[in-house]
Amino acid sequence: MAKDIILLGPPGAGKGTQAHLLEANHAMVQLSTGDMLRAAVKSGSDLGKKVQAVMDAGELVSDDLVSALIDDRLNQIGPDAGAIFDGYPRTEPQAHSLDELLDARGRKLDHVIELEVDEDALVDRITGRFTCAVCGEGYHDRYKLPKVENTCDECGSHEFKRRPDDNEETVRKRMAEYRAKTAPILPIYEKRGIVSRIDGMGGIEEVRAAIEKVLAD
Ligand code: AP5
């Protein structure tokens, strides 16, 4: 069975970038609560309308809601695929819910990988981020431009978009939420001896190699 892991780190640490690379190289599936919530907002559903203002303010949506989204998504992945939890859990109650959801399926967490980063550099990373509007491939104004100008490497689209919460003020709020509510969940996993810390300030490829080393253990 493939491994179940959490990628932990503040906004812009590179969780989504690394989750995509892991998906490409392993039988693993990214479960990003941020992506699930953005899909709900885009759909215009009642749920989307409810969470949009919370996300735009850089605050956390309710624990019950995100745990229900993960519960649903876990039902869609087979027992042989590993889960990459990206942006979940983010609070202590979410960490306990995840234990219950995994227990109920006979799964367990193998690794919690914390990407250690410098918050000021993250503001630069996040405010430069953009994605393909069609396939969602991620890019950056300085660190990862499309190979052909204004053309997605993956699907050839010429449409790109930026997230409404990727402005400096909201990013600072999201970081404060991370420090106050998410970083304190680490001791839960430290007690189990499954936390690995990786320098997230290296290049994308260096970080990828360090994560691969953890997974090989
Ligand atoms: P979410 O979508 O999870 O955002 P986040 O945690 O703030 O993380 P980001 O997606 O901003 O960053 P990332 O670490 O994935 O970095 P990325 O790889 O893109 O959550 C958004 C909102 O949804 C929350 O604020 C909250 O409201 C709500 N929410 C979500 N989950 C929730 C939960 N569980 N509970 C409650 N509320 C929840 O990289 C960033 C940029 O840097 C990219 O451009 C990338 O190309 C570049 N880059 C990446 N790695 C490197 C590198 N090593 N070197 C140089 N550039 C790099």
Side-chain angles (χ1 to χ4, degrees), residues 28-184:
M28 297 179 91
V29 180
Q30 176 195 27
L31 283 84
S32 158
T33 40
D35 286 350
M36 294 172 205
L37 293 167
R38 278 184 290 280
V41 169
K42 195 173 169 200
S43 75
S45 65
D46 286 346
L47 170 67
K49 286 178 192 141
K50 234 166 65 185
V51 300
Q52 182 164 23
V54 181
M55 292 177 77
D56 286 353
E59 289 163 9
L60 296 185
V61 308
S62 82
D63 291 333
D64 289 348
L65 173 60
V66 287
S67 293
L69 289 172
I70 290 288
D71 189 10
D72 185 49
R73 202 54 69 90
L74 274 172
N75 288 336
Q76 296 165 26
I77 68 170
D80 294 334
I84 308 161
F85 297 100
D86 163 7
Y88 179 91
R90 258 178 156 97
T91 64
E92 222 170 289
Q94 290 181 27
H96 295 310
S97 294
L98 178 58
D99 282 342
E100 287 168 15
L101 294 174
L102 292 175
D103 265 1
R105 292 165 174 88
R107 307 179 73 115
K108 68 163 184 49
L109 278 172
D110 294 287
H111 300 283
V112 174
I113 300 175
E114 187 195 13
L115 300 175
E116 294 185 304
V117 282
D118 162 25
E119 288 199 359
D120 286 327
L122 292 194
V123 174
D124 167 64
R125 271 198 198 172
I126 294 183
T127 50
R129 167 170 63 182
F130 62 100
T131 54
C132 171
V134 176
C135 72
E137 181 66 8
Y139 295 96
H140 193 278
D141 290 329
R142 283 173 297 287
Y143 311 121
K144 190 188 165 199
L145 282 166
K147 293 184 183 104
V148 177
E149 196 180 344
N150 204 33
T151 306
C152 176
D153 298 346
E154 293 300 316
C155 74
S157 151
H158 304 297
E159 283 176 55
F160 296 90
K161 61 180 182 181
R162 289 176 194 264
R163 276 169 48 176
D165 59 344
D166 277 354
N167 58 78
E168 180 161 355
E169 190 190 342
T170 311
V171 170
R172 298 266 180 212
K173 172 73 187 162
R174 285 158 57 198
M175 285 173 177
E177 289 280 77
Y178 179 82
R179 279 194 302 271
K181 296 173 184 163
T182 307

